[in-house]
Amino acid sequence: MAMKSYPLEKAFTFIEPGPVLLVTTYNESRYNIMAITWHMVLDFTPKIAVATGPWNYSFNALLKNRECVLAVPTIELAEKTVHIGDCSGKTIDKFQQFGLTALPAEKIKAPLIGECLACIECKVTDYLESQNFFVLQGINAWYDEEHKEIRKFHANGDGTFVTDGPTLDLRNLMEDKLPAGV
């Protein structure tokens, strides 16, 4: 084995988080969707951080309304998801443009996405401006158990994506660390 120097500005591609998510917001009687790859689960509770800033149309809705839905698309939505991330909700209705179904959430105004595997209704609990981090608290979760495709896709950060493969089950090694019910 031999390690070789690698450009630091590309090092994030080794640990780019996933899966790719769609984030819905509501602002001024309009729904919007943005694609996001920069996120992380903060602990075993539904506390999640996402990174975005004023360059995204949804940013102001997140700051103003302090809510969103994190929707989990599966691989059949991969190309649509990339297209969603390549355009602005400032000029188009992304639900209409990409043929997606806005479903009512139970506790917030931002909608669920009917074509996604799962959705998490979230409230913004903190915004760390210096890092462009929104800290979200999940307040309600949805799962489509009839969804045929369950494989998610993960961004490598360079325009390529990896899809989920077989699951490696090592629960027996971690049981003492997992919260009850997980």
Side-chain angles (χ1 to χ4, degrees), residues 5-6 15 20 34 46-49 52-53 56 76 91 99 104 113 116 134 141 149-151 163 165 175 180:
S5 180
Y6 193 78
I15 57 173
V20 174
M34 73 173 170
K47 190 182 292 183
I48 301 144
T52 189
N56 278 321
E76 81 276 8
T91 57
I113 300 176
C116 285
F134 283 90
E149 180 61 71
I150 61 167
R151 292 176 295 158
T163 60
E175 283 178 313

Side-chain angles (χ1 to χ4, degrees), residues 1 6 22 24 28 35 40-41 43 59-61 64 70 78 86 92 95 102 116-117 129 140 154 170 173:
M1 290 189 285
Y6 193 78
L22 293 171
T24 68
E28 299 172 12
M40 64 181 162
V41 175
D43 57 26
F59 175 79
N60 287 330
K64 178 182 172 188
L70 300 179
D86 282 343
I92 63 168
F95 278 95
C116 285
L117 175 65
E129 186 175 4
N140 209 16
H154 310 261
L170 300 175
L173 301 176

Side-chain angles (χ1 to χ4, degrees), residues 3 38 47 59-60 87 90 94 99:
M3 286 287 196
W38 296 333
K47 190 182 292 183
F59 175 79
N60 287 330
C87 61
K90 186 175 185 176
K94 292 186 186 184

Side-chain angles (χ1 to χ4, degrees), residues 19-162:
V20 174
L21 297 176
L22 293 171
V23 179
T24 68
T25 54
Y26 172 83
N27 199 15
E28 299 172 12
S29 73
R30 282 190 67 208
Y31 294 146
N32 191 43
I33 312 169
M34 73 173 170
I36 198 160
T37 61
W38 296 333
H39 57 80
M40 64 181 162
V41 175
L42 296 176
D43 57 26
F44 282 114
T45 67
K47 190 182 292 183
I48 301 144
V50 297
T52 189
W55 56 86
N56 278 321
Y57 179 67
S58 293
F59 175 79
N60 287 330
L62 281 168
L63 277 179
K64 178 182 172 188
N65 298 325
R66 302 188 68 78
E67 66 176 38
C68 67
V69 168
L70 300 179
V72 182
T74 53
I75 62 171
E76 81 276 8
L77 290 177
E79 286 188 29
K80 276 187 185 184
T81 298
V82 171
H83 287 301
I84 286 167
D86 282 343
C87 61
S88 174
K90 186 175 185 176
T91 57
I92 63 168
D93 177 337
K94 292 186 186 184
F95 278 95
Q96 181 180 18
Q97 178 78 22
F98 297 105
L100 296 173
T101 308
L103 298 175
E106 189 173 287
K107 299 182 178 184
I108 62 174
K109 290 183 180 178
L112 312 176
I113 300 176
E115 291 75 14
C116 285
L117 175 65
C119 293
I120 305 169
E121 296 177 45
C122 298
K123 290 284 191 179
V124 174
T125 60
D126 202 359
Y127 174 60
L128 308 171
E129 186 175 4
S130 64
Q131 302 301 317
N132 292 312
F133 274 3
F134 283 90
V135 179
L136 310 174
Q137 179 66 50
I139 57 170
N140 209 16
W142 304 87
Y143 177 72
D144 181 357
E145 55 189 21
E146 295 179 8
H147 204 93
K148 291 182 179 20
E149 180 61 71
I150 61 167
R151 292 176 295 158
K152 298 172 285 298
F153 57 102
H154 310 261
N156 289 322
D158 63 357
T160 64
F161 297 82
V162 195

